[in-house]
Amino acid sequence: MTSTQRPLRIGNVSASRTDRATATAEFLSAASLDVLALDMLSDEAMLELAEQRAQGDPGHERALLVQLGECLDLVGTGGVRIVTNAGALDPGGLAEALRAMAADAGVELSVASVDSGDVTDRAVELGLGEADVATVRHGAFGIARALAAGAHVVVTGRVSREALVTGAAAAHHGWTPSALDALAGSVAVGHVLSGGPGATGVVDSSTDVTRTTDPVSGGYPIAEIAADGSAVVTRHPSAFGSVTVGTVTDQLLDGVAGARYAAPDVVLRLDSVRLAQEGTDRVRISGARGEPAPPVVAVVAMTRGPGRPRRVARPLAQANAGHTVVLPGGERVAVPVPVETADIGPGELPTPWSRGSVPGGEPVTSVLGSVASVRRGVVGRGVNIAVWTWDDSAFAWLAGELTIDRFRELLPALEGMETRRYLLPNLRAVNLVARPPRGVPLDSGLGADLASVRLSIPGELLEFGP
């Protein structure tokens, strides 16, 4: 891929082995894309693939072969490029299987792979304890290097959640690691797209209050990413669902903490992101600022046990997290670690937020969900519970109402947990991050019922709300 000022048009499909074989083909046949990201992994999937490998079978997601087997004619020279994490614990093996499948079909397919980051055999050494599977969450530049070398398909392991999108954008626009603001913008976009249908309204914990109070059935999202990292998020033309400031806000708040969000290649200043509705099913993401890459990346271990699988995350120095990419011609190339890194700054806003006017009117007892939405996500060994609303005056009330003490009153399960509250006025969100003591399992349902709690709410909010 070469540098161009034309926006990159990229879609994301969260495919799995349970999907019908033609799902990806149907997506591609009705959409004009430069790149399709196929996100096929989850923590649970990694455990299943580790068990599969232990039994002597490949440690990659073979469903990719099924999906691409139905649309090889749409991939490659003159067609769409594919970036996928389906390689899991064996990207090289899956890349070889793709080449063989394409050769059997008489299709010329250039395939590259990025190493898996598998550190299962070092889990104890890295402070993760005994684990069934452990991987380093690599960033975007191995993917970018492979695409720049002409790969039609790039197969990775469990990279960071934004890396598929950021890597494709970096290759398309020729970004270097110093393009911090552009990279940060693409991290925000990748964060939204990584949720698949969540960006079009399908989220179990929320509805799109900016457009309708009814749950929205959604399809997979598409983004048009410009050279400066700004983007428009839209949806597949044949899909159901809506793309609004609400659906994008909801997805952007999944698994975040405060004003800074660390990806392997850049720290996104989340407090700088601006969202704007540009038309039906079109939301612009702009204004993102980036800071130097963090000095560490995440290494994540999963272990089966009674009940839910145990997930442990630890930092790993960038200098010890180097990895390689195998280019289409077979050349193995080291992916450079960031030259410049910096400690991640505080999550609090750099300048104090000034609270504006709060709506008045006779107080009415109603559920929180009548004036706000709630998004929950995983942050390290804890959880984030983000409550967001639709305009500045509603946010002024929300920020005053949802203090840490009030959160604890509304959610008794927070007892004994470390809690921090962050304000994100640009997203009109109050975000609580809660972590249980080490060794204490996290209550998976924490915050699930927050939208249904009853509060005394200013009447004007209910009168003019969504």
Side-chain angles (χ1 to χ4, degrees):
M1 286 183 158
T2 57
S3 178
T4 174
Q5 292 302 304
R6 180 178 60 80
L8 169 73
R9 189 168 164 85
I10 182 170
N12 177 73
V13 171
S14 301
S16 76
R17 64 187 66 174
T18 60
D19 289 340
R20 63 189 182 281
T22 57
T24 301
E26 291 166 12
F27 189 96
L28 290 178
S29 65
S32 175
L33 299 175
D34 299 304
V35 176
L36 177 66
L38 279 169
D39 184 352
M40 305 186 75
L41 296 182
S42 64
D43 286 342
E44 184 67 28
M46 290 298 291
L47 280 169
E48 292 175 2
L49 290 168
E51 292 167 358
Q52 181 176 296
R53 181 177 65 172
Q55 295 167 4
D57 293 325
H60 56 246
E61 183 50 82
R62 289 172 290 191
L64 181 76
L65 299 171
V66 176
Q67 292 292 319
L68 293 191
E70 296 289 334
C71 55
L72 281 175
D73 58 322
L74 301 175
V75 179
T77 304
V80 69
R81 311 245 182 156
I82 304 291
V83 291
T84 179
N85 58 13
L89 300 169
D90 184 20
L94 183 54
E96 187 56 40
L98 280 169
R99 294 185 193 100
M101 181 179 71
D104 289 344
V107 174
E108 183 179 342
L109 195 67
S110 178
V111 185
S113 62
V114 179
D115 81 40
S116 65
D118 180 18
V119 290
T120 306
D121 60 349
R122 298 175 54 206
V124 174
E125 170 195 341
L126 294 172
L128 299 161
E130 295 290 344
D132 292 327
V133 62
T135 55
V136 179
R137 301 294 168 86
H138 292 308
F141 279 97
I143 298 166
R145 181 69 176 84
L147 290 170
H152 301 142
V153 180
V154 181
V155 181
T156 78
R158 189 80 193 277
V159 290
S160 67
R161 66 183 294 173
E162 310 85 7
L164 298 178
V165 171
T166 298
H172 186 82
H173 291 300
W175 296 337
T176 66
S178 63
L180 296 178
D181 290 347
L183 288 169
S186 70
V187 165
V189 178
H191 198 85
V192 172
L193 263 61
S194 70
T200 62
V202 178
V203 179
D204 63 358
S205 61
S206 170
T207 58
D208 172 19
V209 298
T210 65
R211 181 165 177 171
T212 174
T213 55
D214 296 321
V216 183
S217 297
Y220 288 101
I222 292 171
E224 300 158 1
I225 304 177
D228 64 355
S230 64
V232 171
V233 177
T234 182
R235 65 179 176 87
H236 190 279
S238 300
F240 295 107
S242 302
V243 178
T244 69
V245 168
T247 64
V248 173
T249 298
D250 195 90
Q251 192 59 45
L252 195 55
L253 290 170
D254 175 37
V256 301
R260 290 171 167 87
Y261 177 81
D265 304 298
V266 67
V267 172
L268 164 65
R269 285 291 299 270
L270 194 59
D271 61 318
S272 67
V273 175
R274 297 292 181 268
L275 305 179
Q277 195 80 40
E278 286 206 339
T280 303
D281 292 323
R282 291 182 66 83
V283 171
R284 177 167 291 281
I285 300 177
S286 63
R289 291 172 51 203
E291 295 176 341
V296 297
V297 295
V299 55
V300 179
M302 296 294 299
T303 307
R304 286 206 187 277
R308 295 173 62 87
R310 183 175 68 95
R311 183 182 192 272
V312 178
R314 294 285 186 270
L316 180 67
Q318 289 268 19
N320 299 327
H323 60 296
T324 59
V325 54
V326 179
L327 301 179
E331 181 185 4
R332 183 177 293 273
V333 177
V335 180
V337 298
V339 174
E340 180 185 6
T341 64
D343 291 339
I344 303 169
E348 287 74 22
L349 295 172
T351 55
W353 170 70
S354 298
R355 188 181 183 192
S357 60
V358 177
E362 189 70 24
V364 176
T365 299
S366 185
V367 296
L368 177 60
S370 63
V371 294
S373 281
V374 178
R375 177 68 194 216
R376 299 180 303 136
V378 175
V379 179
R381 59 184 175 87
V383 63
N384 82 298
I385 304 170
V387 186
W388 58 271
T389 190
W390 69 94
D391 72 6
D392 292 338
S393 62
F395 174 68
W397 171 79
L398 196 68
E401 175 70 19
L402 293 183
T403 63
I404 286 184
D405 287 343
R406 189 67 163 129
F407 268 117
R408 289 188 175 279
E409 179 184 339
L410 298 173
L411 299 173
L414 291 172
E415 180 67 30
M417 299 179 71
E418 174 194 344
T419 56
R420 300 196 73 170
R421 189 189 82 140
Y422 300 100
L423 297 181
L424 293 169
N426 56 313
L427 301 177
R428 303 184 181 102
V430 179
N431 195 25
L432 183 81
V433 177
R435 295 182 177 89
R438 289 198 180 276
V440 176
L442 179 69
D443 177 1
S444 62
L446 180 63
D449 298 326
L450 184 59
S452 63
V453 301
R454 299 184 69 80
L455 303 171
S456 179
I457 298 172
E460 288 182 1
L461 278 185
L462 295 168
E463 182 178 354
F464 299 109

